Amino acid sequence: MSNAREKIFAAIARNKKPMQDAAEKSENLIARVEVNTIPARGNLSGVAMVEEFEKRVLASAASIEYVSSNKDVPEAIVRYLAKHQLPNVCFANGKAGQFSWSRVPELDVRTTIGNVNSPVVVTEAFRGIAETGSLVLISQPGHSSASHFLPEYLIIILPYNNILPSQESVWEDVRQRSGDIPRTVNLVTGPSRTGDIEQKMVLGAHGPRQVHLVVVK
Amino acid sequence: MSSSCSSFKQNAAVAIHDPKLQGALGKLGDGLQARRAAAVGQLPEFDALRNDAQRIKRQVMADLDCYLEQFESKVLEQGGQVHWASTADDARNAVLDICQKVGAKTVTKGKSMVTEELELNNFLADNGIEPVETDLGEYILQLRKEAPSHIVVPAVHLQQDDIAKTFVKSHAQLDPSRDLTEPERLVGEAREALRERFFAADVGITGANYMVAETGSTVIVTNEGNGDLTQTLPKVHVVVTTIERVIPTLEDLSTFLRLLPRSATGQEATAYVTLSSGPKREDDWHGPQEFHVVILDGGRSELLGSENQDVLNCIRCGACMNHCPVYGAVGGHAYGWVYPGPIGSALTPALIGVEKSSALPNASTFCGRCVEVCPVKIPLTDIMRRWRVEEQTKKLTSPFQRAGLSAWAWLATRPGLYQALTGLTAWGMKVVGRRRGGLTRLPFASGWTQYRNFPTPEGKTFHAQMKQKAKTKANLGVRYE
Amino acid sequence: MTETTSSIQVALYVTCLVDVMRPSVGFAAIKLLQNAGCDVIVPKQQTCCGQPGYNSGDEVAAKALAQQVIETFESYDYVVAPSGSCAGMIKDHYPKLFSKDAEWHSRALALAKNTHELTSFLVDELGVQTLDAHFEGSVCYHDSCAGLRELNVKAQPRQLLSSVKGLSLQEMKGEEECCGFGGLFCVKYSDISNTMVSRKLDNIERSGADTLLAGDLGCLLNMAGKMTREGSTVKARHVAEVLAGMTDLPAIGEGEG
């Protein structure tokens, strides 16, 4: 296919026209442009930012609750399962396997790869985005990206301090990690849905029908 | 894909008399149009974002080769492979080659208009590989053996009962008398039917809304989660995309992610945005072992640097077709190729030739609603008009039209003669139509009088009256000079 | 009534459709401009703005007519047309038409700067807020595409109509949707055009208004022709007729009985 590559690049080189205000162009083509607009809604901080986050999470048809520490996460999961009359079984994805699950012996917490297709999945988010109420989930060692999309119920754990104002602030943090961008970065905003039947939105297309967020203060 | 653009008029006539189709299209106003308006109304910075997006796209096009090289080198660096395809044939063969090397029997597919352009499903099937569409709309159409009629909502031309009938027929193992009257039930049934296919697939094929040069990531923007399962579960992920989809940085991606869902479905954000970069890392539990990006030119590089270059800025949101009164009257199939609506009318002539597709850019009143809603401000009507110029220059228009326009210009550049003739015409029509106020038949304009009356002129033309007033000095205090 | 300003020279571009089909619109425009204190001139040499050729890809024909319009009108302070479509052609499209011809391009730009659609000229340039007019009835207003999207004509006609005594404005649904005229489009793609104008007629009828107004005669002929064919009782008039209080003549497409 190298022939095709040459052809394409030759055609582009032959046809492309420089921008009229080429003077403004940076030497480094992917130098980050600081002039892109970030909406006011994505520029909040402190309480206003968290309020915006909660508002957008709810608008995306996800639910949200706050707990005061990591220790309280297992009880929160048990409460959620009871509320939805679900059996006491879940798959804890990657680092979510490290919560103090022993506090809730009634809950069957599974952590092996054979269980990724469970009806309830608990997973940790890398960051939350206030502007849109999105959760950023990343692939990492010992973690299943597929399980973000397989269950009926997806429960996402997010440390309070990882709520950021905008996508841009998340990209900053992604760059600060060592190495390349993770293989898979999922921005999840509410449950899976489709508008393919007469333009009506129906929740739970191929992915989770419900997304529940537990914010750890 | 083979085209039937030249039959646009006939296709349209059929579509207009299809009550089911008209019923489905009639829902666009209160559906996608209203939702977009609401979402845009809630974001005061929407127009500023449109300007940013246009600037970013123009910046990319001015150095497209450099951005593509940057993207390619990042993909390779992360262990992925890039396949360049000058033509649709190149692209099809590249995909087939990848599939055959891993002995693929079935491939799952996320929604991709580029693979429609390639007619990839038929090609794979002919080569013994079963393609399975997993986007709900595309799945329905695959069962019905139909092409998408919209680039975002592929089955928008169907009503719920059409889909229920298709499911009863295709999911023959289920009770034929089951209740499928709620869309939730149809969605649930498709979910069940496709779940095992995701796990069984050898290769997952998706498109890409964007390629990020900075990180070598391909990005898909979806709601269902099917594209994500398609690209996470099989051992091979193939991205099929086109050269103009590259953008510089993650920050630029964020700008587009604010525009695309609002413009497409009136959502603030879609349920999912997924960035894929190379194959899975060593200790990741899921993700493909092989990551391939097939990048098609397919005639796009010839648009670079041309007056119509901005058509390459399209982010495939579908807002132009959702708001187009012509699309709203005839639906997407009438356009006869992959991309319907205003973007199709602007893009198709570039990709398959104006000779085969000149009916499309002509089928517009230039009402400008598409330009008004385009998130990257593509001057769609100007581009359609330029295709008309090319059609006229190549003498592809009817000799009758060409002669008529020349005669009109000849006459109208001779104001004295023009006014004498228009005076006679107005008087003539007035005499014939005075009593009823309109004419029901007109020579050379049966297209008008087939459906409407032609209102009768008042009588004397404006200029005739001005001349008369000037003579009698009852000139209203107006200089007629 | 507005106070009389020191006389502003305005050349009326009457448009070919008004000239032939509905000259009263031209006289209504003259009256409105004069009442606003303008010195109105009607150049004799005017015919067509070149849109049929331009929109059909015949740039040779379009340029010939555009040059005639530029030559005829460039010496006046302002050019005003009772049409968003023709004013938009001059303002928005002439400069594009001559983009590769420096001399004509600058002449086109100069003319574009001085050219206006009638109601927007009255409101935006002359600051007219109210008019002394009377019209008994309920009206709906169709926003013609070129005026709306090329010239931003939307609030101005409504502002003026709100001062007309006896008139109530009853907006229709989809007032910004194209009526399906589109010049030669309505003849070349008559089936599609008919679908569009039929939908428009539905919205007009549902508004409950007894008169349809618009600022472009092309759209009005299309909609009036459909209304009379379908036996609708809604009347069609150019907005200038109502604003100038010149509504004695039969509505567009209405017979003399």
Side-chain angles (χ1 to χ4, degrees), chain A residues 1 4-5 7-9 11-19 25 28-33 35-42 56 91-94 111-114 116-117 131-132 134 139-152 166-168 171-172 174-175 180-209 211, chain B residues 27-28 31-32 35 42-43 45 48-49 52 55-56 58-59 61-70 72 74 78 84-86 90 134-137 153-154 156 159-160 183-184 186-187 191 194-195 198-199 214 217 223-224 226 228-229 231-233 237 248-252 254-255 257-258 262 267-268 270-281 283-286 288 291 297 301-302 304-305:
Chain A
M1 228 45 66
R5 188 185 191 282
K7 251 199 232 169
I8 294 169
F9 278 80
I12 295 173
R14 183 173 69 239
N15 293 327
K16 73 174 188 180
K17 277 214 186 102
M19 296 248 281
K25 213 180 73 185
N28 179 2
L29 288 169
I30 58 160
R32 270 175 283 140
V33 187
V35 296
N36 289 359
T37 304
I38 298 178
R41 173 198 290 187
R56 300 292 160 195
F91 169 69
N93 192 10
T111 54
T112 58
I113 196 165
V116 295
N117 198 9
E131 183 187 345
T132 49
S134 310
S139 60
Q140 46 199 316
H143 180 102
S144 161
S145 288
S147 73
H148 305 155
F149 302 95
L150 290 167
E152 303 268 320
S166 63
Q167 271 183 34
E168 281 83 347
W171 304 142
E172 285 297 328
V174 167
R175 287 195 188 93
D180 285 318
I181 185 171
R183 192 281 151 180
T184 304
V185 177
N186 300 127
L187 274 59
V188 176
T189 312
S192 150
R193 61 197 68 199
T194 181
D196 274 349
I197 301 175
E198 293 191 2
Q199 305 169 48
K200 293 173 197 152
M201 269 299 171
V202 176
L203 296 185
H206 292 286
R209 295 175 209 270
V211 171
Chain B
K27 296 187 166 92
L28 283 168
L32 292 169
R35 274 186 243 152
Q42 284 167 33
L43 191 71
E45 295 88 350
L49 289 163
D52 288 350
R55 189 199 69 238
I56 294 164
R58 286 182 172 171
Q59 172 197 335
M61 297 312 157
D63 280 301
L64 184 60
D65 42 358
C66 306
Y67 289 104
L68 287 169
E69 269 175 352
Q70 167 75 25
E72 180 186 40
K74 284 303 288 186
Q78 294 172 99
W84 298 94
S86 185
D90 292 347
T134 62
D135 171 83
L136 177 60
V153 208
V156 73
Q159 301 209 39
Q160 197 180 308
E184 285 77 6
L186 294 164
V187 173
R191 178 187 173 109
L194 283 166
R195 185 51 72 98
F198 284 119
F199 282 100
E214 175 194 2
S217 312
N223 269 315
E224 297 183 6
N226 66 302
D228 301 284
L229 291 170
Q231 66 179 30
T232 313
L233 290 172
H237 176 199
T249 66
L250 293 170
E251 280 71 12
D252 297 320
S254 298
T255 295
L257 291 178
R258 292 185 177 102
R262 287 183 171 88
Q267 291 175 278
E268 305 243 323
T270 53
Y272 303 116
V273 173
T274 293
L275 288 74
S276 300
S277 315
K280 84 181 186 82
R281 309 289 153 77
D283 295 319
D284 290 355
W285 276 10
H286 283 115
F291 177 68
D297 178 342
S301 58
E302 291 308 318
L304 271 186

Side-chain angles (χ1 to χ4, degrees), chain C residues 37-248:
Chain C
C38 300
D39 177 15
V40 181
I41 302 110
V42 177
K44 270 184 198 170
Q45 296 296 306
Q46 57 178 299
T47 61
C48 162
C49 67
Q51 247 189 104
Y54 183 65
N55 285 343
S56 304
D58 188 344
E59 294 201 329
V60 177
K63 280 178 185 166
L65 289 169
Q67 285 170 340
Q68 175 173 278
V69 171
I70 293 170
E71 282 167 341
T72 307
F73 283 93
E74 66 190 340
S75 61
Y76 301 103
D77 294 347
Y78 289 103
V79 179
V80 171
S83 157
S85 173
C86 306
M89 178 69 190
I90 298 173
K91 225 173 157 56
D92 202 39
H93 297 289
Y94 279 9
K96 288 190 228 171
L97 186 58
F98 292 110
S99 61
K100 288 172 193 154
D101 179 335
E103 189 217 325
W104 282 102
H105 185 249
S106 69
R107 289 172 76 176
L109 276 178
L111 181 66
K113 200 166 135 268
N114 297 334
T115 300
H116 300 275
E117 180 276 340
L118 176 65
T119 61
S120 60
F121 180 71
L122 293 171
V123 174
D124 299 339
E125 298 298 315
L126 302 182
V128 176
Q129 297 287 315
T130 59
L131 293 167
D132 186 16
H134 188 100
F135 182 81
E136 210 56 54
S138 57
V139 305
C140 58
Y141 188 87
H142 164 72
D143 293 290
S144 293
C145 301
L148 177 69
R149 300 195 180 89
E150 290 170 7
L151 307 176
N152 215 7
V153 178
K154 172 87 186 179
Q156 304 91 331
R158 288 174 175 78
Q159 159 79 39
L160 297 175
L161 286 170
S162 71
S163 72
V164 175
K165 291 180 197 74
L167 179 147
S168 73
L169 180 65
Q170 284 176 249
E171 295 283 5
M172 68 175 114
K173 197 179 170 191
E175 76 278 12
E176 292 187 0
E177 269 165 39
C178 180
C179 70
F181 173 59
L184 291 176
F185 174 88
C186 68
V187 181
K188 283 168 87 172
Y189 293 90
S190 52
D191 292 338
I192 302 173
S193 173
N194 179 54
T195 305
M196 289 162 72
V197 74
S198 300
R199 286 184 186 169
K200 195 83 210 178
L201 182 53
D202 276 350
N203 287 332
I204 293 167
E205 296 259 338
R206 275 192 216 136
S207 75
D210 47 45
T211 301
L212 164 73
L213 301 180
D216 262 285
L217 199 53
C219 316
L220 282 163
L221 293 170
N222 176 41
M223 292 183 285
K226 188 67 187 172
M227 295 195 295
T228 50
R229 174 67 61 93
E230 300 297 329
S232 168
T233 55
V234 180
K235 310 287 181 214
R237 289 185 185 279
H238 192 285
V239 66
E241 299 170 33
V242 171
L243 296 177
M246 292 167 64
T247 51
D248 291 341

Side-chain angles (χ1 to χ4, degrees), chain B residues 207-212 217-221 253 257 273-276:
Chain B
N209 292 88
Y210 307 99
M211 296 180 270
V212 182
S217 312
T218 62
V219 184
I220 60 169
V221 181
L253 172 65
L257 291 178
V273 173
T274 293
L275 288 74
S276 300

Side-chain angles (χ1 to χ4, degrees), chain B residues 108-124:
Chain B
T108 40
K109 282 187 69 206
K111 215 183 81 55
S112 150
M113 294 312 292
V114 180
T115 62
E116 297 290 335
E117 202 174 316
L118 303 177
E119 279 187 294
L120 188 60
N121 287 0
N122 287 342
F123 181 75
L124 290 176

